[in-house]
Amino acid sequence: MFTKLEITCALVFVFSILHIANAGDPDILTDFVAPNTTIDANYFTFTGLRQLVGGVYPTTFEAIKVSVNEFPALDGLSVSYAVLQFPSGSVNPVHIHPRPSELLFLIFGTLQVGFVDTNHTLFKQTLQLGDMFVFPKGLVHFQYNNDTKEPALAVSAFGSANAGTQSIPTSVFNTSIFEGILEASFHAKRATIRKIEDGLKA
């Protein structure tokens, strides 16, 4: 016979496993998710990237997202894109995507890329035109164009209709975490913490 405590612990464990198994995009029971209106092929067409053709290259790093927020037809399909534009010397700061892995394809230019695993090992690479690099789900990663003259352009595919992006600098230094906690965490003086916070607000 099991005690009430053992049964409770077993149920908590089972529900925890079920929650983890459903942590990504949920499976849908239809071909696709559609609004309660008549749709045609236009619903499955996204034209928001036309601005890239003949457009002016940005002066700072810019990501054009194509997630379920911009393209509702992606709902339930577990895919999304982002076009990443890197002027010379620009960086996509360290960040994570909590829900999917990211597969990056470099269309032109060069990029320094890398991620850090949970053993604190840095995996870094210099990508050339036509190269691909995968960033595993939920791990801290970055991309940097260190070319002083040429821009770089990449496309990233995600295994979620809503990848989510959490910027590490912004999440740590621009969210009102008590400065004493940041001092202790980074072994830095409060003046240093405030300088970083001010720099991120600029």
Side-chain angles (χ1 to χ4, degrees), residues 16-25:
S16 297
I17 295 298
L18 289 174
H19 177 73
I20 291 168
N22 291 316
D25 289 358

Side-chain angles (χ1 to χ4, degrees), residues 163-186:
T165 301
Q166 185 174 21
S167 167
I168 303 303
T170 301
S171 295
V172 173
F173 293 102
N174 269 1
T175 53
S176 303
I177 295 175
F178 175 55
E179 288 176 342
I181 294 171
L182 297 179
E183 275 185 285
S185 298
F186 290 95

Side-chain angles (χ1 to χ4, degrees), residues 55-194:
V56 177
Y57 216 80
T59 56
T60 58
F61 168 76
E62 186 175 311
I64 303 174
K65 296 179 181 179
V66 186
S67 72
V68 68
N69 299 317
E70 295 80 21
F71 190 12
L74 299 181
D75 190 13
L77 301 183
S78 300
V79 293
S80 59
Y81 270 105
V83 176
L84 309 177
Q85 299 178 89
F86 296 87
S88 59
S90 64
V91 64
N92 186 1
V94 288
H95 62 282
I96 65 169
H97 302 294
R99 291 177 280 278
S101 296
E102 174 183 358
L103 184 60
L104 180 145
F105 173 59
L106 186 61
I107 296 175
F108 66 77
T110 61
L111 279 181
Q112 308 291 316
V113 301
F115 68 87
V116 179
D117 71 7
T118 55
N119 292 318
H120 310 295
T121 302
L122 171 63
F123 297 87
K124 61 180 181 176
Q125 185 63 271
T126 300
L127 301 184
Q128 306 293 331
L129 186 151
D131 290 348
M132 299 181 84
F133 193 85
V134 65
F135 303 95
K137 174 181 174 180
L139 297 184
V140 172
H141 62 282
F142 63 89
Q143 300 107 21
Y144 171 54
N145 178 10
N146 68 346
D147 191 306
T148 58
K149 296 180 180 178
E150 296 298 324
L153 181 70
V155 174
S156 284
F158 301 96
S160 169
N162 186 9
T165 301
Q166 185 174 21
S167 167
I168 303 303
T170 301
S171 295
V172 173
F173 293 102
N174 269 1
T175 53
S176 303
I177 295 175
F178 175 55
E179 288 176 342
I181 294 171
L182 297 179
E183 275 185 285
S185 298
F186 290 95
H187 304 285
K189 294 181 179 179
R190 192 159 299 197
T192 302
I193 299 298
R194 288 181 177 167

Side-chain angles (χ1 to χ4, degrees), residues 1-11:
M1 293 289 290
F2 296 106
T3 66
K4 287 184 179 179
L5 178 61
E6 290 171 328
I7 292 171
T8 301
C9 289
L11 287 172

